[in-house]
Amino acid sequence: MSPFAGSARSTGAWQHIRVSREDGVATVTLARPEKLNALTFEAYADLRDLLAELSRERSVRALVLAGEGRGFCSGGDVEEIIGVTLGMDTAQLLDFNRMTGQVVRAIRECPFPVVAAVHGVAAGAGAVLALAADFRIADPSARFAFLFTRVGLSGGDMGAAYLLPRVIGLGHATRVLMLGDPVRAPEAERLGLISELAEEGRADERAAALARRLAEGPALAHAQTKALLTAELDMPLAAAVELDASTQALLMNSADYAEFHAAFTEKRPPKWQGK
Ligand SMILES: C/C=C/C(=O)SCCNC(=O)CCNC(=O)[C@H](O)C(C)(C)COP(=O)(O)OP(=O)(O)OC[C@H]1O[C@@H](n2cnc3c(N)ncnc32)[C@H](O)[C@@H]1OP(=O)(O)O
């Protein structure tokens, strides 16, 4: 079997990944702390498959992506990359790189907001995973190292050259992706790369609080907002306005919107159902 096929394991047996679910929040923790959560081929594929599984679970309304130990994720497992990819032909290398890109697509396309809690290093693929999230909450220790060019690879790995200019602008993205210098938390805050700089040691807690807030909110409206933010990046204004109109027309027919009206009239908080 291709090493990129994914294992389609039962929940709880993902490689170097732990997942828990509570009150609408799925927490996905990269759990290989002795290697700073470096991603093996199997872990990438499992992350992709796990995100697909969670996307099918209607009860999941927000997701926290975090790293165990002293960093978020040190990127692709260098030993495996050196040991395995050096012997691969171009077609196999393409398979591998398509598979890693599928993880980013899974984060961008899942129907709930993803909050990355970043402390310590987020390097290479780890930086791109954080970049793909909808929110990044950073510890002061966080450093985002888009270091691909430093290992002789293209800075545009896994959609980074698509996403980063859209988050921090083309000028900064060019510098960051071309030079590969780490972006530390204060600079990340200045550039708008992170949505919140947490107090030391509190990024996980702040990310969990944000995810809980999102999970308690109108899930359908959040899903549509995420989908539109992604889809409209490359659309002419007229098409975007039309897509907004059709989406809003659907939502105006939803149970949640009716519930908002009832709650407003009855002067109470709405009870969102996500439909
Ligand atoms: C397709 C390509 C995708 C990509 O993602 S390319 C980028 C791949 N990533 C990297 O090149 C980063 C490699 N790692 C490092 O440069 C350093 O680490 C850090 C700067 C991230 C952190 O340095 P420090 O804090 O001094 O930690 P430490 O002692 O180097 O690492 C602790 C243990 O973790 C292992 N480790 C770290 N990163 C990786 C990795 N990416 N792949 C495999 N192992 C890794 C080390 O070797 C060591 O392990 P041991 O204690 O057994 O010596």
Side-chain angles (χ1 to χ4, degrees):
M1 191 169 77
S2 158
F4 318 128
S7 50
R9 294 169 230 243
S10 59
T11 303
W14 311 97
Q15 190 178 74
H16 306 145
I17 300 166
R18 280 189 286 106
V19 58
S20 62
R21 301 159 175 82
E22 192 179 354
D23 298 333
V25 176
T27 302
V28 174
T29 306
L30 305 175
R32 195 190 180 198
E34 70 284 4
K35 297 287 177 189
L36 292 173
N37 303 321
L39 298 162
T40 58
F41 295 164
E42 208 156 328
Y44 279 113
D46 276 2
L47 198 48
R48 172 198 63 191
D49 296 345
L50 171 59
L51 284 157
E53 182 176 300
L54 294 169
S55 296
R56 288 190 293 271
E57 291 179 21
R58 283 193 52 89
S59 59
V60 175
R61 299 186 297 279
L63 184 145
V64 172
L65 181 61
E68 190 178 310
R70 66 183 174 87
F72 177 74
C73 173
S74 60
D77 184 310
V78 175
E79 284 176 28
E80 194 180 46
I81 291 172
I82 293 170
V84 180
T85 57
L86 286 184
M88 285 184 171
D89 62 26
T90 306
Q92 290 171 313
L93 290 170
L94 186 56
D95 272 356
F96 167 67
N97 285 290
R98 283 187 173 142
M99 185 271 294
T100 64
Q102 284 164 359
V103 185
V104 163
R105 286 192 57 183
I107 295 173
R108 293 302 318 137
E109 292 168 11
C110 64
F112 39 72
V114 174
V115 182
V118 182
H119 71 289
V121 74
V128 189
L129 292 185
L131 175 65
D134 299 285
F135 298 88
R136 279 161 294 285
I137 311 257
D139 184 79
S141 66
R143 58 188 205 278
F144 299 85
F146 294 89
L147 46 65
F148 299 100
T149 58
R150 293 186 168 214
V151 301
L153 294 175
S154 156
D157 199 49
M158 298 168 74
Y162 176 94
L163 291 170
L164 196 60
R166 287 167 164 81
V167 176
I168 64 173
L170 182 59
H172 292 303
T174 303
R175 172 173 59 83
V176 168
L177 292 184
M178 197 80 79
L179 299 179
D181 293 340
V183 180
R184 292 175 188 277
E187 186 189 1
E189 188 180 33
R190 264 199 320 278
L191 294 179
L193 179 57
I194 57 176
S195 31
E196 181 181 325
L197 181 56
E199 286 171 27
E200 191 180 337
R202 294 195 59 206
D204 284 0
E205 184 192 318
R206 295 290 302 159
L210 174 59
R212 271 196 307 278
R213 175 183 161 185
L214 289 161
E216 284 163 9
L220 189 62
H222 291 157
Q224 292 302 327
T225 304
K226 175 167 180 166
L228 293 180
L229 280 165
T230 302
E232 292 181 13
L233 283 171
D234 295 311
M235 257 183 212
L237 176 64
V241 167
E242 179 57 25
L243 185 60
D244 283 355
S246 52
T247 304
Q248 212 63 300
L250 276 176
L251 287 184
M252 285 176 165
N253 246 334
S254 70
D256 274 352
Y257 189 61
E259 165 63 9
F260 165 74
H261 279 273
F264 183 81
T265 310
E266 294 160 23
K267 299 191 187 304
R268 59 168 176 81
K271 296 189 192 86
W272 304 114
Q273 297 176 59
K275 57 185 185 181

